[in-house]
Each structure stands twice: as structure tokens, then as C-alpha cells.
Amino acid sequence: MQKLTSQADWIDRARAVLPAGGFGNFDPGIVIARGESSRVWDEDGNEYIDYLIGSGPMLLGHGHPEVVEAVLEQLPRGMTFFANNAKGIELAEAIVDAVPCCEQVRFVASGGEADMYAIRLARAYTGRDKILKFEGGYHGMSAEAQMSLAPEARVNFPHAVPDSAGIPQGVADHMLIAPFNDLAAVEALLTEHNDVAAIIVEPLQRIIPAEPGFLQGLRDLCDKHSVLLIFDEIVTGFRLAYGGAQERYGVTPDICTLGKIIGGGFPLAALGASAEIMQHFDKSVVGREKWLMQLGTLSGNPIAATAGLKTMEILRREGNYDRLRAIGKELQDMQTEALSAADIPHQICGDETLFDIFFTSSTCRDYRTAKHDAPRRNATYNGTLRRHGIFKSPGKLYSSLAISKIDLELTRNAVRRAVQSVRVE
């Protein structure tokens, strides 16, 4: 039977009811109909190998049978309660067991929400107002997070540039911006400003790795100046290692945020810290003046908790992280080999689990250096990959455990075509 609604029809319908024709996330020029294991299909039936994986949560692939079975078992028992439930408590226990900085956690529905509360928690605990973040660091959609996320103007540090309308100047006044991987800049700011509550940082900033010693240097500076260190592990948590970046790099923050993988594809995120810091969520302990109000309709809902628990159980199985990294390494190697053979300047930037290519010969160490010398090459490269069945962001590629040997070979063929397109451009 012929499909009655084409992708073009869905795109037209979206334009009528959605600002900019989309959800504000991915390219609105494609409408996904379904996903299964390592593949997704658009509304015209075109099949793609999925390296976007829902922007990170689908580390096991779409519709993993064990996760589906667990969710289907929970569904008739209740979808959400706005109350404590056993699955949410079990998930909290699993996170506390896995993540070094977490003695207690609080659940929210999204990573951006977790980052917002983490910043507020740091202010409540320290009694200070200013937050130091890094230019280009992504921490959700709060007013603080939207400072110098992707500034087009290169203003002098530490001045904050809002990336969104609707943010009062007062927010910028309480934000300090530093270049990533620059300990000297951070130390100078902490020496000058004695009212900093916390430094918030992605241990892997987008796809830019922390240089050796940088994260430990932040830890040392925070201790020296009595500042809290927040690791935004929405992306890195349970991806770089089971214990996240804290396990991978051996540096423990005061507060961390988690999301994506812990919800198994459903809306769920969390923030965690020591019991001493987390007591600010308990009015009976800290009193009205120091109490941090936090609630959410879907926080800790049993469906997301069930999916997260099963996902984490699967990730704990022997060899899965080695395999995830081996897949990522093969994806890196096939691209750099093809680009090098074509004498196209490029850098692989990121971790085996999460990376992409910059078309440059320069080292990418912060927001201002992590860029393409020839942006058109990136557009051509990614456009060709999409036409040959590769579904990825223009600036990021996720490894996943669902990727098969066949997927890798098909990807290799698409990469060869993409490199050829760049070469003849």
C-alpha cells in the first residue's frame, strides 16, 4: 500500500505549527518514522545508520529487547506517580554505587534542568553568587547556561555574552567566562573574584578533550579558593566509563549532573553530591533560608527509571565498554585514513565514544580553536554522508553498542564517497 503522508507533507505540517518548523533540536528537514537497533528510517522510508542516537541516550540502540521487556513489565503497574517509587529508589542506589561524587541524588526530567539546579545548589551551599563557566561549554537552556555558549563576537574574557534573547543583564553580571584548557586564566579569575560559588565544566567540552592535568588543576584551584567544582556529566556519564568522566580521568567534583543514558531513552536526569551538600534540599535540616526548593511532575518516574536501570545493567557486562571504544576507534581510523590519503587537512577531536572531524591542521583545544578552516568542506562531507545513509549531527558522532560489522563497512563506503566529494569540490 502506498504511504499516504510523505516526508515533505510532514515537513509542511510542521512548519504550520512549530516555530522554525521543528522542535528546536535536529535538522527539521528530516522526519524520523522509526528506529530499530542501529538504524532509523525517515517518513519516506529511507534507511540510515544512526550515529546521532537521540543526541546520546540510545547507547544500546533503538528498541533493545531487554529494555523493552523491562518497560513493558512496568507499564501496567503505573507510568508516573509524583511520589517515591521503588524503581526510582533503585536507580538512585545504582547511581550512588557508580559515581564517585554522589552520596545522594535528586531526579529531574532533563539535563538542562539538572544543570540549573546544580548551579543553584552551589550558590545555596556557598552563599556566593558568581559562576565560572567556559566559553563554548553547553549546560542546557537556563539563563546562566546561555552565556557564551556559542558567541559570534570574540569579546575579552571574562565578559559573558548572552546567546539568547530574554536574559537580563543581571545574569551576565554574575557569570565569569574563561577559555577551556587554560588554568592560568581560571586562577587569575579566582584570585580576583572572591565571590565565586562554583566552576561548571564539561569534562569533555562538546568534543574537545581536557588536556592532561586540566581537570585536576581545576580541582586543586577549587580547593584552594573554597569554590565548588561541578562536572556536567549529562553526556559523559556512563559513556566514557561506567563511572563516567570521574572514573575515566580520576578527578572527583563536588557536584555532578547526569542525564541521557540514565533514563534509557526516556525523560530523566539527576544531580548528585555529598550528603552535606545535598542536605540543602531538606528544609528540616537546613531551615527555610538555606532550603533549595526542587520538584517536578516526572522526576524519578518509574518508566524512565526502569529503562535506565536495565540499560545500566547491560553496560556493566564484561567487555561492553571495550567494545564501544573499539567501534569508535574504527570509525575514527576509517575517516582519518581516507582523508589523509586524499591529502585533506583535518583533526579528529574527541573521545572514541564521542568525536568528530575538524577540517583544519590546527590543534583544537578550546572554543576559538575548534573550528573548520573551510566550513564548506564540513557541509559537503556531512551532506554526502547523509545522502549515503549516515545519520549524524554536523558536529558530532556517537559510537553505540548497536553498530555491527556490516554497519561499519557501509559507513566506510559512505566515508570514501564523502571524502571524494570534498576532494573534487
Side-chain angles (χ1 to χ4, degrees):
M1 178 182 291
Q2 184 177 2
K3 194 172 180 65
L4 298 179
T5 306
S6 69
Q7 180 159 248
D9 293 331
W10 281 114
I11 291 170
D12 286 342
R13 290 169 65 173
R15 286 173 180 155
V17 294
L18 299 171
F23 301 148
N25 296 332
F26 194 67
D27 176 6
I30 185 168
V31 181
I32 297 300
R34 67 184 182 95
E36 181 181 336
S37 189
S38 64
R39 308 296 178 93
V40 291
W41 288 260
D42 66 23
E43 285 288 348
D44 283 341
N46 297 307
E47 183 176 349
Y48 305 88
I49 302 169
D50 186 13
Y51 294 109
L52 180 63
I53 62 171
S55 190
M58 309 313 298
L59 194 61
L60 306 181
H62 300 279
H64 190 286
E66 293 183 61
V67 177
V68 170
E69 181 182 9
V71 168
L72 290 177
E73 185 178 330
Q74 175 60 42
L75 274 170
R77 297 177 180 175
M79 290 178 279
T80 199
F81 304 117
F82 195 64
N84 280 5
N85 62 85
K87 291 298 182 183
I89 295 169
E90 286 181 28
L91 180 58
E93 291 173 335
I95 291 171
V96 168
D97 286 344
V99 181
C101 82
C102 293
E103 291 181 346
Q104 294 182 339
V105 300
R106 263 293 172 96
F107 289 119
V108 291
S110 73
E113 195 181 357
D115 287 334
M116 177 193 72
Y117 278 117
I119 289 171
R120 196 175 297 172
L121 177 60
R123 286 171 167 161
Y125 180 77
T126 63
R128 302 173 181 177
D129 291 333
K130 286 183 180 173
I131 302 294
L132 190 156
K133 77 177 288 283
F134 294 95
E135 186 179 52
Y138 178 76
H139 306 292
M141 292 287 115
S142 70
E144 290 90 349
Q146 287 292 291
M147 289 293 168
S148 297
L149 163 60
E152 295 182 5
R154 292 191 174 186
V155 302
N156 293 330
F157 297 110
H159 299 291
V161 178
D163 286 279
S164 172
I167 299 176
Q169 178 60 39
V171 176
D173 294 341
H174 289 95
M175 298 297 296
L176 299 172
I177 308 300
F180 190 63
N181 277 323
D182 191 335
L183 284 175
V186 174
E187 183 166 22
L189 289 174
L190 293 183
T191 300
E192 181 180 353
H193 299 269
N194 62 5
D195 53 352
V196 176
I199 295 174
I200 186 168
V201 62
E202 297 174 276
L204 178 72
Q205 183 171 290
R206 305 291 73 216
I207 57 173
I208 305 170
E211 294 179 348
F214 178 67
L215 296 176
Q216 183 59 53
L218 292 181
R219 174 73 276 170
D220 295 341
L221 286 172
C222 284
D223 291 342
K224 178 181 178 180
H225 293 273
S226 300
V227 170
L228 297 185
L229 179 59
I230 303 170
F231 274 8
D232 179 344
E233 292 228 49
I234 304 300
V235 173
T236 59
F238 296 93
R239 187 183 316 279
L240 300 192
Y242 187 71
Q246 297 173 52
E247 176 186 328
R248 180 77 176 167
Y249 301 133
V251 178
T252 303
D254 298 291
I255 303 170
C256 80
T257 56
L258 299 162
K260 297 189 186 290
I261 291 169
I262 66 167
F266 290 85
L268 187 142
L271 65 155
S274 67
E276 179 186 358
I277 294 174
M278 295 296 284
Q279 69 182 2
H280 284 274
F281 289 113
D282 189 341
K283 189 194 295 186
S284 69
V285 174
V286 298
R288 172 64 187 164
E289 292 302 315
K290 294 185 177 181
W291 175 56
L292 176 55
M293 180 185 290
Q294 183 270 321
L295 54 84
T297 301
L298 295 174
S299 298
N301 78 87
I303 300 299
T306 295
L309 278 166
K310 181 56 69 173
T311 298
M312 289 161 63
E313 175 194 322
I314 294 167
L315 290 175
R316 287 196 299 272
R317 294 173 188 169
E318 185 176 355
N320 271 343
Y321 280 98
D322 289 340
R323 181 167 172 265
L324 182 68
R325 288 191 169 277
I327 291 168
K329 185 64 165 57
E330 186 165 350
L331 289 165
Q332 289 181 341
D333 289 348
M334 72 173 63
Q335 293 181 83
T336 199
E337 287 168 8
L339 288 163
S340 296
D343 201 26
I344 297 172
H346 69 282
Q347 298 285 329
I348 296 282
C349 187
D351 180 84
E352 288 95 343
T353 65
L354 165 66
F355 66 92
D356 211 352
I357 291 167
F358 285 107
F359 287 95
T360 179
S361 55
S362 303
T363 300
C364 304
R365 68 183 304 265
D366 58 21
Y367 174 74
R368 299 188 184 189
T369 57
K371 63 178 184 177
H372 302 281
D373 292 341
R376 184 172 174 176
R377 283 185 165 181
N378 187 54
T380 299
Y381 187 78
N382 282 286
T384 306
L385 289 176
R386 175 83 66 85
R387 289 193 297 275
H388 288 89
I390 303 301
F391 191 59
K392 68 176 286 288
S393 159
K396 190 181 293 184
L397 184 153
Y398 287 98
S399 176
S400 95
L401 288 170
I403 297 299
S404 67
K405 290 182 178 180
I406 292 174
D407 294 329
L408 290 170
E409 280 308 305
L410 291 173
T411 303
R412 192 184 305 276
N413 291 335
V415 165
R416 289 172 181 148
R417 293 185 174 97
V419 169
Q420 182 63 22
S421 295
V422 172
R423 191 177 186 180
V424 301
E425 187 180 50

